């Protein structure tokens, strides 16, 4: 039972009782701090009871050698999220409008190419996760970029340049901290713990982590949420383009300034 739970990313650790001693199994691929916290707590309890305890690490797929603390997937989120809204912003600035014929196809094409570039850098150059996961990670990172880009494009259509700022606030300032990151969701304060399931970053992180290290277990909800963030804004963008709603007048200088202001904001942890 303990092995099945750890294989499916359902527990952070498990205590296996023995006749003369106990074994604490910790999972380094699900959190970078939980194994240490669990080991400290259980070793303290073992000293109190006088019962020997052995701490053993277990992971269905070990962490990459260049990522001994399991933080690469969390760090990978930042360029994906930033790339999504910056892609939509640059496209709007270049064409002068957030909608238009083939706009959705351009966003999807951008996401596919950008996802490939990021995947090549992180997987093969930085060796941040096992190379055998390259092909399954590529569509996931492209999905994340496309979802954020479509959200940004719709908000830019409705709010003008302010739509970029709203995207940054929702996706970066609120979404990224609520993802749980490498530490894990249990370490989040109540507010961030509560809003995370409804925003793209946590679902993106769970989908990436569990696909790479847990054979895709526990990713159904995360995938559904990300697909909703992709399909609903894409449909809305097509609707707005079809009916040719009036554009909010925004000078090109204002659009460029909005993009410039949001670029450093997206880089915050």
């Amino acid at each position: 039972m303990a092995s099945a739970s750890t294989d499916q990313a359902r527990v952070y650790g498990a205590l296996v009782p023995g006749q003369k001693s106990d074994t604490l199994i910790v999972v380094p691929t699900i959190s970078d701090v939980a194994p240490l916290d669990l080991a400290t707590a259980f070793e303290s309890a073992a000293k109190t009871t006088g019962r020997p305890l052995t701490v053993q690490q277990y992971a269905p797929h070990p962490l990459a050698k260049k990522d001994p603390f399991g933080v690469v997937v969390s760090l990978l989120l930042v360029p994906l999220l930033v790339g999504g809204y910056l892609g939509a912003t640059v496209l709007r600035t270049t064409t002068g409008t957030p909608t238009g014929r083939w706009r959705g196809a351009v966003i999807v094409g951008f996401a596919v190419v950008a996802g490939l570039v990021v995947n090549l850098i992180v997987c093969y150059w930085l060796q941040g996760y096992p190379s055998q996961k390259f092909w399954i990670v590529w569509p996931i990172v492209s999905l994340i970029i496309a979802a954020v880009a479509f959200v940004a494009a719709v908000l830019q259509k409705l709010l003008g340049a302010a739509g970029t700022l709203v995207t940054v606030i929702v996706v970066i300032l609120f979404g990224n901290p609520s993802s749980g990151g490498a530490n894990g969701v249990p370490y989040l304060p109540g507010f961030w713990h509560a809003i995370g399931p409804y925003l793209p970053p946590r679902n993106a992180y769970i989908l990436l982590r569990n696909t790479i290290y847990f054979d895709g277990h526990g990713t159904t909800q995360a995938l559904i949420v990300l697909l909703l963030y992709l399909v609903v804004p894409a449909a809305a963008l097509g609707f707005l383009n079809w009916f040719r709603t009036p554009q909010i007048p925004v000078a090109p200088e204002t659009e460029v300034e909005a993009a410039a202001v949001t670029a450093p904001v997206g880089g915050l942890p």
Side-chain angles (χ1 to χ4, degrees), residues 160-225:
T164 305
L165 295 175
V166 174
T167 304
V168 171
I169 292 172
V170 173
V171 175
I172 303 297
L173 299 185
F174 282 92
N176 202 36
S178 65
S179 69
N183 292 347
V185 174
Y187 288 91
L188 290 174
F191 172 77
W192 301 107
H193 188 286
I195 67 173
Y198 307 103
L199 299 175
R202 182 184 299 181
N203 295 284
Y205 178 75
I206 290 175
L207 184 58
L208 278 171
R209 183 200 65 194
N210 288 15
T211 297
I212 295 172
Y213 292 115
F214 297 97
D215 293 322
H217 289 290
T219 58
T220 301
Q221 178 178 330
L223 180 59
I224 291 173
V225 172

Side-chain angles (χ1 to χ4, degrees), residues 84-99:
Y85 74 73
L86 280 185
T89 301
V90 171
L91 188 58
R92 174 187 169 92
T93 304
T94 303
T95 62
T97 174
T99 56

Side-chain angles (χ1 to χ4, degrees), residues 31-268:
S31 172
D32 63 338
V33 296
L36 179 60
D37 286 349
L38 288 172
T40 301
F42 277 87
E43 284 173 348
S44 177
K47 290 180 180 178
T48 302
T49 61
R51 187 173 175 84
L53 176 70
T54 301
V55 179
Q56 177 182 332
Q57 288 194 351
Y58 171 77
H61 297 281
L63 288 165
K65 292 182 179 179
K66 295 294 183 69
D67 183 28
F69 300 106
V71 298
V72 165
V73 176
S74 179
L75 295 175
L76 176 60
L77 272 186
V78 175
L80 299 180
L81 301 175
V82 172
Y85 74 73
L86 280 185
T89 301
V90 171
L91 188 58
R92 174 187 169 92
T93 304
T94 303
T95 62
T97 174
T99 56
R101 184 171 295 181
W102 306 112
R103 179 58 53 92
V106 172
I107 290 176
V108 171
F110 165 77
V112 171
V113 174
L116 174 61
V117 172
V118 172
N119 200 26
L120 285 170
I121 293 173
V122 178
C123 183
Y124 287 114
W125 183 32
L126 300 179
Q127 299 178 26
Y129 50 81
S131 59
Q132 61 266 31
K133 298 294 183 178
F134 176 86
W135 294 107
I136 188 62
V137 170
W138 181 12
I140 293 174
V141 296
S142 296
L143 169 61
I144 296 167
I145 294 172
V148 176
F150 274 112
V151 169
V154 171
L155 290 175
Q156 289 166 355
K157 171 65 177 178
L158 298 175
L159 304 176
T164 305
L165 295 175
V166 174
T167 304
V168 171
I169 292 172
V170 173
V171 175
I172 303 297
L173 299 185
F174 282 92
N176 202 36
S178 65
S179 69
N183 292 347
V185 174
Y187 288 91
L188 290 174
F191 172 77
W192 301 107
H193 188 286
I195 67 173
Y198 307 103
L199 299 175
R202 182 184 299 181
N203 295 284
Y205 178 75
I206 290 175
L207 184 58
L208 278 171
R209 183 200 65 194
N210 288 15
T211 297
I212 295 172
Y213 292 115
F214 297 97
D215 293 322
H217 289 290
T219 58
T220 301
Q221 178 178 330
L223 180 59
I224 291 173
V225 172
L226 284 177
L227 287 175
L228 286 174
Y229 270 99
L230 174 70
V231 174
V232 174
L237 194 64
F239 176 84
L240 293 171
N241 178 55
W242 179 268
F243 284 93
R244 299 286 182 179
T245 54
Q247 298 289 327
I248 295 178
V250 178
E253 295 80 6
T254 304
E255 194 68 66
V256 172
E257 290 174 2
V261 168
T262 56
V265 173
L268 294 176

